Amino acid sequence: MSTLVLIERPDDELSQQAAVMAASLGADVEPVAIDDGGLGFAPGAWAQTLVDHAAATGVTAIVAPGTDRGNEVLAHVAAKLDQPMAANCTRIAPGPPATVTRVRWGGSLLEEAQLDGTPLLLTSAAHAVAAQPLAAVQTLALSDGVSDADRVVRVVDTVAAGDGGVSLADADVVVSGGRGVGSAEGFSVIEELAALLGGAVGCSRAVTSAGWRPHSDQVGQTGTKISPEIYIACGISGATQHMAGCKGAKRLLAINPDGEASIFASADYGVTGDLHEVVPAISAEIRKVRGS
Ligand SMILES: Cc1cc2nc3c(=O)[nH]c(=O)nc-3n(C[C@H](O)[C@H](O)[C@H](O)COP(=O)(O)OP(=O)(O)OC[C@H]3O[C@@H](n4cnc5c(N)ncnc54)[C@H](O)[C@@H]3O)c2cc1C
C-alpha cells in the first residue's frame, strides 16, 4: 500500500507540502516526477503516466500539489479513471470513509467532505502544512499507454513574466483589486491607475483563486508582504489574511461600496463607492492635472 505524490520539482515547496499531507493517509509515500522526454507539459500525458504507474503498483491514493498544473493533471486522472477528485485540501484523514477539508470560495469557506474512490484522488492547498525536504523522488518516463490524443494539449512555449515594470515587493505605490473587481478584464482600470502612479498591481487571494491574476500578484499571508508608501485597495473586504500582507503600508486608501467592510478600520482614507466609477475618476483627474 502506498500513496503516489506528483512532484513538480524536488525543491518546489508546494510539492513538498503535498508529500507531507499525503503522509497523513498512513501509507508509504511514493514521490514521483515526470520526465516528459522533451514533449513539454502535457496534462493528459502526465495523467496517463500516473494512471498506468498506479495500476502497476496498486497505489491507494494519488496526491498532487494544488497548483494550476497539479489540479489540472489530477482532474485528467479523475476523468480517465471515472473517479471523484477533491482539490485544494487543507486536511485529509484516511477513514474509511476518507474525509477531507478543502478550500472553497477563494478561501472564505472550508468544506468538510467524504471522499470515495480507489485510488483516492486529491490535491493539497498551498501552505496548509509545513514543507519538508523530500528524501528521494522517482522519475517516471511517459508510459506506453500515452496516446496521441494525450499529447495534443501541451506547453509549446513559455513567456517570462515581468514587463520591465516595478515589482510588487518593492513598489512605492500598489493598486490592488479584490473580488469586487468582478473579472480579469475588470483589472484594466486597476492597471491603468497603477501605470499612471508608477506603481505595481496587487490583488487578493479571491482573485488568484478565480484565475483573474497570477499568484505572483497576491498580497497577504500566503502571498507577497509589501510596505509601499501607499496601498490602494479596491474591492477588497480586508480579511485578516489579506491585511497580514499589507499592514506595512504607510498609508491605505480603501474603495468599497460597503461602508461596513473591515478594510475601512485599517484605512487612512476611504471612498464608499463602486471602484468601476471611482478608480477611472481618479485616473482622469491625474491626467487632467498633468495635462495629458
Ligand atoms: C490559510 C488562508 C490563507 C489565506 N491567505 C490569503 C492571502 O495571502 N491573501 C488574501 O488576500 N487572502 C488570503 N486568504 C483569503 C482571505 O480569507 C479572504 O477570503 C480574501 O482575502 C477575500 O478576498 P477579497 O477581499 O477580494 O474578497 P471578499 O471578501 O469577497 O470581498 C470583496 C469586497 O468587494 C467589495 N465590492 C463588491 N463590488 C464592488 C465594487 N463594484 N467596487 C468596490 N468594491 C466592491 C465588497 O463589498 C467586498 O467588501 C487566505 C485564507 C486562508 C484560509
Side-chain angles (χ1 to χ4, degrees):
M1 281 216 325
S2 66
T3 297
L4 203 59
V5 182
L6 175 64
I7 302 297
E8 291 193 26
R9 288 190 329 275
D11 62 351
D12 171 45
E13 208 183 343
L14 300 184
S15 296
Q16 293 174 355
Q17 291 169 5
V20 171
M21 190 169 289
S24 55
L25 286 171
D28 291 341
V29 172
E30 187 188 346
V32 293
I34 307 245
D35 175 4
D36 62 32
L39 177 68
F41 174 64
W46 283 37
Q48 189 62 48
T49 301
L50 291 180
V51 166
D52 291 343
H53 185 75
T57 55
V59 303
T60 49
I62 305 178
V63 178
T67 56
D68 289 348
R69 287 191 174 192
N71 281 326
E72 189 174 9
V73 171
L74 260 271
H76 277 270
V77 171
K80 285 173 181 291
L81 295 176
D82 197 19
Q83 297 279 353
M85 167 225 172
N88 301 319
C89 299
T90 59
R91 189 191 66 89
I92 51 180
T99 55
V100 298
T101 305
R102 59 182 181 146
V103 176
R104 305 295 305 273
W105 292 81
S108 56
L109 176 72
L110 290 175
E111 177 192 76
E112 197 154 291
Q114 288 184 3
L115 179 64
D116 296 314
T118 309
L120 294 172
L121 303 176
L122 53 99
T123 64
S124 61
H127 307 294
V129 295
Q132 286 174 19
L134 295 160
V137 178
Q138 184 187 354
T139 300
L140 303 179
L142 292 183
S143 75
D144 293 341
V146 172
S147 67
D148 289 343
D150 289 326
R151 297 170 185 267
V152 171
V153 176
R154 64 191 175 93
V155 173
V156 293
D157 194 11
T158 54
V159 179
D163 48 8
V166 60
S167 87
L168 180 61
D170 302 329
D172 281 341
V173 178
V174 175
V175 187
S176 209
R179 201 195 305 272
V181 175
S183 66
E185 296 72 34
F187 267 83
S188 60
V189 293
I190 306 287
E191 288 170 349
E192 181 189 30
L193 180 57
L196 281 169
L197 296 173
V201 172
C203 70
S204 70
R205 185 158 117 174
V207 167
T208 54
S209 297
W212 300 344
R213 303 290 300 186
H215 182 262
S216 54
D217 283 1
Q218 184 180 312
V219 172
Q221 180 184 318
T222 49
T224 303
K225 314 261 187 312
I226 57 171
S227 49
E229 292 298 318
I230 182 155
Y231 185 58
I232 304 177
C234 313
I236 293 175
S237 62
T240 49
Q241 295 91 350
H242 185 81
M243 301 315 291
C246 63
K247 63 185 179 200
K250 312 284 183 304
R251 294 275 184 278
L252 196 158
L253 162 61
I255 301 168
N256 195 311
D258 176 6
E260 301 296 312
S262 57
I263 188 97
F264 286 119
S266 310
D268 299 284
Y269 315 101
V271 180
T272 311
D274 182 342
L275 73 92
H276 294 292
E277 294 171 9
V278 177
V279 175
I282 297 172
S283 296
E285 193 62 24
I286 292 171
R287 285 210 174 84
K288 201 167 100 187
V289 169
R290 291 180 183 168
S292 57

